[in-house]
Amino acid sequence: MSESALLDRIQADALTGRAIPDAATGETIGFAPEQTPADVDDAVARARTAQPAWETLGHEGRREALLAAADAIDAHAEELARLLSREQGKPLDGPNARFEVGACGMWLRDAATTALEPEVIIDDGEAYAEQHYGALGVVGAIGPWNWPLMIGIWQIAPSLRMGNTVVVKPSEYTPLSVLALLDIMNAHLPADVLIPVVSGDREVGARLASHPDVAKLMFTGSTATGRKIIEATGGNLARLTLELGGNDAGIVLPDVDPAAIAEGLFWGAFINTGQTCAALKRLYVHDDVYDDVIEALADVAAQMPMGNGLEDGNVLGPLQNAKQFDIVKRLVDDAKTRGRVVLGGEPASDLGANFFQTTIIADLQDGDPLVDEEQFGPALPIIRYSDVEDAIASANRLDVGLGASVWSSDRGRAIEVAKRLRAGTTWINSHGTLHPKVPFGGVKQSGYGQEFSVAGLKAVAEPRVISG
Ligand code: NAD
């Protein structure tokens, strides 16, 4: 199937749909169906009706269906990646669109095949209890625009695996690629087990969150919206997994080889052109290696091509939308008055309206807006430190805690520092590398609940104890 044939299967007509622009060029890619809170009610009702049979199918039956869906994603990988690249902006090449589609199959297979057996809690001759895990019912999955397919699968795959049915609300910025993914998967799933609802506005997400028949919400997005979701679930008491915003710190210790870590630092900060929840968003570098690390990082960054995602070789793209572009521009304009521009610092207007140059600004301090606020774009602030205690205190001082990283030639020393960082994941000599077997989630106001692996399956299951 070509990319346009894929699009034709899911898009609305121009009269009733909402035009979705190509993030790089602004041209209309297609038209997303506009739906309403009444459509949410209908979708939840259908998902609720379909759920018992899906649960009764059992793990084996669901595994077969989910593995077939994963194969179908792989079979349509190129057209999905092209649509994603146009809608989201991320290039086909590099750790971007093709990588994201590949990750969908990988995570779906992992969830489909990971076992979650009943656990014997106590068996001492007097007491006996087993912990079982059943389905919750209907799961609502609300996603963001930065990694719309991969994050969608992170929410959908464990939920389906555990026997829930799922109603999906993709971001209004990236509905087409998610609709296409679900269309491909649904060819291998029973009717109404996986239902997309596309937002005309945020009311649709709000209705899903507060719907009385939604048992669980998987939400990935901003901390501000996360708070609204918590309020919205006061009535239905839906369980929550919240993956929210971050402002990940990286600490470079004085013993590093700057050239050896430069590429890892670059991708840690600039993957998906910085529009990544667990990206390196503020970098603390020891005085001894400060200039050398900045020079090595800037050398790598300057060589990374930015441009239209469909053109071969580009590994950086535009900001996905004008609102995000404005946030990045405001923070960089301010940072230029406080620090030293090492690289970039300006819109890349020659490439298109939403492009911003790869930007590195050194000599900034805690409290500067580019350091303290989540930039979610291609602009990295660098802060000098001389005492590692200060760097640890700086890393921990914000109210978010998604990821962090420590960079050092001495693994033992790095682990000692890592143990003191309040983050859901602290990486050593990399940043943001994920694996389906390794639980992922935030601490503090970056959210709660873990995804992936057994922990992720338990998060979308109903724990039931059988005792006696
Ligand atoms: P957002 O919060 O604006 O939107 C996320 C989703 O919530 C969208 O689908 C939106 O339509 C929906 N929504 C908005 N208002 C709602 C409401 N009142 N009720 C229910 N749903 C509502 O986030 P975004 O701008 O799409 O994504 C960027 C943010 O997401 C960043 O802060 C980023 O750090 C965070 N993020 C976190 C992770 C993670 O794993 N922790 C991953 C990706 C992105």
Side-chain angles (χ1 to χ4, degrees), residues 142-147 151 154 169-173 199 201-202 204-207 209 219-226 228-229 242-246 276-278 281 323-324 374 376 402 440 446 451:
I142 303 179
W145 48 258
N146 59 340
W147 293 89
I151 289 173
W154 292 352
K169 210 303 275 177
S171 167
E172 53 272 44
Y173 290 107
S199 167
D201 55 37
R202 293 177 172 221
V204 171
R207 178 64 181 153
F219 172 74
T220 300
S222 63
T223 300
T225 308
K228 289 186 190 144
I229 303 261
L242 299 177
E243 297 284 1
L244 308 178
T276 298
C277 49
K281 292 177 179 151
K323 193 171 144 211
Q324 195 59 43
E374 186 185 33
F376 221 60
L402 190 54
F440 174 71
S446 289
E451 296 184 284

Side-chain angles (χ1 to χ4, degrees), residues 147-296:
W147 293 89
L149 300 188
M150 190 170 75
I151 289 173
I153 285 288
W154 292 352
Q155 299 176 331
I156 294 164
S159 301
L160 292 179
R161 152 70 179 89
M162 290 310 299
N164 307 289
T165 50
V166 185
V167 176
V168 180
K169 210 303 275 177
S171 167
E172 53 272 44
Y173 290 107
T174 50
L176 296 176
S177 44
V178 178
L179 277 175
L181 176 78
L182 266 54
D183 182 70
I184 288 166
M185 291 176 70
N186 268 330
H188 302 275
L189 299 173
D192 294 338
V193 156
L194 177 62
I195 305 178
V197 175
V198 178
S199 167
D201 55 37
R202 293 177 172 221
E203 272 180 41
V204 171
R207 178 64 181 153
L208 187 58
S210 62
H211 196 289
D213 289 329
V214 168
K216 164 94 193 186
L217 279 158
M218 303 287 287
F219 172 74
T220 300
S222 63
T223 300
T225 308
R227 285 199 184 89
K228 289 186 190 144
I229 303 261
I230 293 169
E231 284 169 20
T233 53
N236 60 7
L237 290 183
R239 276 66 181 142
L240 295 176
T241 295
L242 299 177
E243 297 284 1
L244 308 178
N247 195 342
D248 294 8
I251 299 178
V252 178
L253 298 182
D255 61 14
V256 295
D257 171 357
I261 64 167
E263 192 161 344
L265 286 174
F266 173 80
W267 285 117
F270 292 96
I271 184 167
N272 198 24
T273 317
Q275 300 161 104
T276 298
C277 49
L280 178 48
K281 292 177 179 151
R282 48 196 173 111
L283 184 63
Y284 296 86
V285 183
H286 192 274
D287 204 24
D288 289 356
V289 287
Y290 188 77
D291 292 333
D292 291 346
V293 167
I294 290 173
E295 191 183 333

